[in-house]
Amino acid sequence: MKRVLFAVLSVALMLAAGQAAAQTSIVVAQDDSPRMMNPHGDDSDAGLQYFANFFDGLLQRKGAEGTLAPALAERWERLDALSWKFWLRKGVKFHNGNAFTAADVKFTFERLSNPEVSEFVNTGKSIDKIDIIDDYAVVIKTKDPIPWFANNMHQIFIMDKEDTESRDPGDVMIRPIGTGAYKFVEWVKGSYVRMEANENYWEGAPPIKKVDIRPITESSTRFAALASGQVDMVTGVPVELYDKIAANPKVEMVSKPARRCIFLALSNKPGSPTADIRVRKAMYMAINEDEIIEKVMRKHAAPVAQIPDPPTIGYRDDLKRLPYDPEKAKNLLKESGYADGFKITLSGPNDRYIQDAQIAEAVAKYLAKVGIKVELDVKPKSIFFPDVAEGKYEFYLIGWFDGTFDMGRTYFKLAHTRDIEKGYGELNGANYSNAELDKLLEATANMVDIDKREKALKELNKIAMDELIVWIPLHYQVDLYAVLKDRGIKFQPRPDRWMIYKEIGKK
């Protein structure tokens, strides 16, 4: 009898241990995959969200609103127009046991300017010098005033100087060693990324002890994994499957209005049709955005009249979309000398944003109704974005939200006349150029007073959208997730859509 009881007890303990393990582990199917594990080599959201689990920045974004908060820097202060001081957190260790000090901060920021390992070269080049005050204090001085400098510190991840310099560069690319809430275990490209909790994390050990991320870009495969219980949750619920998935009683749907704006960028090359403001206005008014939201986005989007979202400095709540009016659009085309329309190519990605190719197709059809003949050129993001960076397009669909919550940075990147050496217009893929806008924008570059800056950026935003129609805004996305109810996962989406696993718990 004792042997039987012992056997039963052993089985019960094993089951309990298994349940405990299940309660502290999670398997997630994500709709994107990492390109590398070098935290400076990929500045895309897809890459940054992976890095943010292994590494820390001097600062971090927290909560539903993405509030800027301390991380490896306990506090920070702008000393003057060019200089920022950061007081560093003591007692923090990298995953290899090395102590975190100011030397690692200096090394990290100097590394940013190396194009062989960094896509943050412009940030690196903007820095004049880095002074180490002591092991736990640094002063970073920029060459020019950068009002949003601190706002971007959650995206610059600190690396271990000693470790990075001693390892083979190829190993640095595939094996991350940071101070983050999770330690790297294994990465099998195209299959999974495995991590385990850093029990000595400076912010406290995360509640989820083991995380397996399965990058599955194909939506039906991703949700087959959820339905079969192979994964606990999925990101990137496709809008066309939302109702079907939501009807499953075992699944909880989680949504978050996104900061990302989907819009159309246009060239204004002299002599081209789109150089005429009447043509730009006609194209804007020819697009039935309400119908795109209803039929293409299945109501999971919100119409917009500008690129920045409400938390961003420079957002205006009084900007309104131009009304959908195809007859007015035809009249404007006639007035501008294009009564019979014209030909234009609309480019865009087909694997980056929610329904991106379908949105492009809808836009082409609306423009065709007013006589504009559109040739579609949609392609994988791996081809599309390098072409944007090289300024190869005349008309394209793209998405954007600014991680610094500052509209000035948005306009410098997306609308300023291209000057790659200065870092202006680096994502201005249509080579839009307007001297008046450039002048207004450059006048804000040195504005560090928040009130004055906000007023100036709001005025610039109004001119850009009402008078110049720099872009044709479409909508803000809604981010959608699905979670198996019986897994007891406590999850709140972030405004930047990053999956930060230290923020996920159990109910």
Side-chain angles (χ1 to χ4, degrees):
M1 178 64 71
K2 288 182 179 180
R3 289 181 180 178
V4 173
L5 288 173
F6 179 78
V8 171
L9 181 60
S10 297
V11 171
L13 289 172
M14 289 173 64
L15 288 172
Q19 290 170 353
Q23 290 173 357
T24 57
S25 65
I26 188 172
V27 182
V28 180
Q30 287 190 194
D31 56 338
D32 46 31
S33 59
R35 287 165 45 201
M36 62 184 72
M37 290 297 171
N38 163 26
H40 305 149
D42 183 0
D43 64 355
S44 70
D45 293 323
L48 292 171
Q49 69 170 326
Y50 280 92
F51 306 149
N53 288 289
F54 301 121
F55 297 90
D56 292 306
L58 292 177
L59 307 178
Q60 62 179 318
R61 294 279 177 185
K62 300 191 75 172
E65 301 304 320
T67 303
L68 198 64
L72 291 180
E74 292 184 310
R75 59 191 178 98
W76 66 99
E77 179 184 343
R78 179 194 284 276
L79 302 180
D80 54 47
L82 300 176
S83 304
W84 298 79
K85 185 172 182 178
F86 295 89
W87 287 265
L88 307 181
R89 191 175 299 277
K90 297 178 181 179
V92 177
K93 292 188 180 297
F94 288 94
H95 298 157
N96 57 12
N98 288 349
F100 159 70
T101 69
D104 303 304
V105 176
K106 182 177 174 66
F107 167 77
T108 291
F109 281 89
E110 291 175 342
R111 187 176 190 265
L112 296 181
S113 60
N114 180 0
E116 294 184 4
V117 297
S118 172
E119 287 191 353
F120 293 87
V121 172
N122 286 333
T123 300
K125 288 183 176 179
S126 72
I127 295 171
D128 181 28
K129 63 177 181 176
I130 303 164
D131 292 328
I132 295 178
I133 308 305
D134 57 42
D135 278 351
Y136 298 101
V138 297
V139 172
I140 301 176
K141 183 177 181 180
T142 59
K143 296 174 182 176
D144 299 297
I146 304 177
W148 59 81
F149 184 78
N151 288 2
N152 202 35
M153 290 301 97
H154 67 294
Q155 299 186 120
I156 306 300
F157 296 110
I158 306 302
M159 300 185 74
D160 181 344
K161 178 181 187 297
E162 178 186 343
D163 171 81
T164 307
E165 290 182 330
S166 64
R167 277 198 289 157
D168 181 271
D171 190 55
V172 174
M173 291 289 285
I174 62 173
R175 191 165 61 91
I177 296 176
T179 60
Y182 286 89
K183 296 180 178 181
F184 173 81
V185 176
E186 187 178 17
W187 175 30
V188 177
K189 287 189 177 182
S191 184
Y192 61 85
V193 176
R194 185 163 294 158
M195 61 183 81
E196 64 183 13
N198 177 5
E199 295 298 330
N200 297 313
Y201 188 51
W202 59 267
E203 206 172 29
I208 303 297
K209 302 305 179 184
K210 294 183 179 180
V211 179
D212 268 17
I213 304 171
R214 299 183 186 175
I216 305 175
T217 56
E218 209 289 310
S219 58
S220 61
T221 305
R222 198 159 63 249
F223 292 100
L226 182 74
S228 63
Q230 296 178 49
V231 301
D232 303 309
M233 67 177 293
V234 297
T235 68
V237 174
V239 293
E240 69 272 18
L241 294 180
Y242 180 89
D243 291 341
K244 180 178 180 180
I245 297 168
N248 187 328
K250 296 182 179 180
V251 174
E252 177 186 0
M253 302 301 298
V254 182
S255 65
K256 172 81 175 180
R259 296 188 62 219
R260 191 181 307 281
C261 176
I262 303 299
F263 66 97
L264 302 168
L266 291 160
S267 167
N268 66 340
K269 181 180 178 181
S272 69
T274 51
D276 192 314
I277 187 64
R278 293 168 296 183
V279 171
R280 301 173 81 86
K281 187 175 290 187
M283 294 173 72
Y284 193 150
M285 299 180 78
I287 299 168
N288 189 342
E289 175 56 30
D290 288 340
E291 192 168 70
I292 288 177
I293 291 174
E294 177 76 22
K295 296 184 176 179
V296 179
M297 300 303 292
R298 312 294 177 93
K299 300 181 181 180
H300 297 292
V304 297
Q306 57 196 302
I307 306 305
D309 61 322
T312 304
I313 295 174
Y315 173 85
R316 296 187 67 117
D317 56 14
D318 60 344
L319 284 178
K320 306 299 180 185
R321 285 188 59 81
L322 290 179
Y324 169 60
D325 190 338
E327 291 306 312
K328 176 66 174 177
K330 290 178 183 178
N331 290 336
L332 286 168
L333 289 173
K334 185 176 180 180
E335 289 175 17
S336 57
Y338 295 99
D340 296 326
F342 56 89
K343 293 182 180 179
I344 193 168
T345 298
L346 172 58
S347 302
N350 58 13
D351 60 354
R352 176 63 183 94
Y353 309 112
I354 300 170
Q355 299 288 79
D356 44 16
Q358 292 86 344
I359 296 168
E361 290 172 6
V363 167
K365 290 177 182 177
Y366 291 128
L367 294 180
K369 291 179 180 179
V370 298
I372 300 173
K373 305 166 188 67
V374 178
E375 179 180 346
L376 280 175
D377 173 37
V378 295
K379 60 192 70 173
K381 60 188 176 185
S382 59
I383 300 172
F384 172 74
F385 285 105
D387 286 348
V388 170
E390 292 181 23
K392 290 186 175 181
Y393 297 125
E394 59 177 341
F395 181 36
Y396 62 94
L397 180 144
I398 197 167
W400 179 261
F401 76 86
D402 201 299
T404 67
F405 292 73
D406 190 295
M407 197 200 77
R409 180 173 176 268
T410 293
Y411 273 84
F412 265 116
K413 281 183 171 289
L414 304 183
H416 193 287
T417 300
R418 285 172 67 85
D419 186 334
I420 302 305
E421 187 173 328
K422 291 184 178 179
Y424 296 164
E426 56 189 313
L427 293 176
N428 181 355
N431 292 290
Y432 179 86
S433 179
N434 183 282
E436 178 191 3
L437 187 70
D438 290 350
K439 184 178 180 180
L440 289 170
L441 188 55
E442 288 168 21
T444 70
N446 296 338
M447 287 184 181
V448 295
D449 182 284
I450 295 298
D451 292 336
K452 290 182 180 178
R453 181 169 183 77
E454 177 138 28
K455 182 179 179 181
L457 288 175
K458 280 186 173 182
E459 184 60 29
L460 184 151
N461 197 18
K462 182 174 178 60
I463 291 170
M465 299 312 302
D466 281 353
E467 299 177 20
L468 303 177
I469 308 183
V470 174
W471 305 294
I472 299 175
L474 297 176
H475 56 256
Y476 292 134
Q477 294 183 161
V478 172
D479 294 331
L480 302 171
Y481 308 80
V483 183
L484 290 180
K485 290 180 179 178
D486 64 358
R487 305 301 163 91
I489 295 171
K490 187 178 180 181
F491 169 66
Q492 181 182 46
R494 293 168 54 94
D496 55 17
R497 201 177 178 270
W498 291 8
M499 292 295 293
I500 306 301
Y501 289 96
K502 70 179 183 180
E503 298 175 351
I504 298 179
K506 289 286 184 175
K507 293 178 180 178

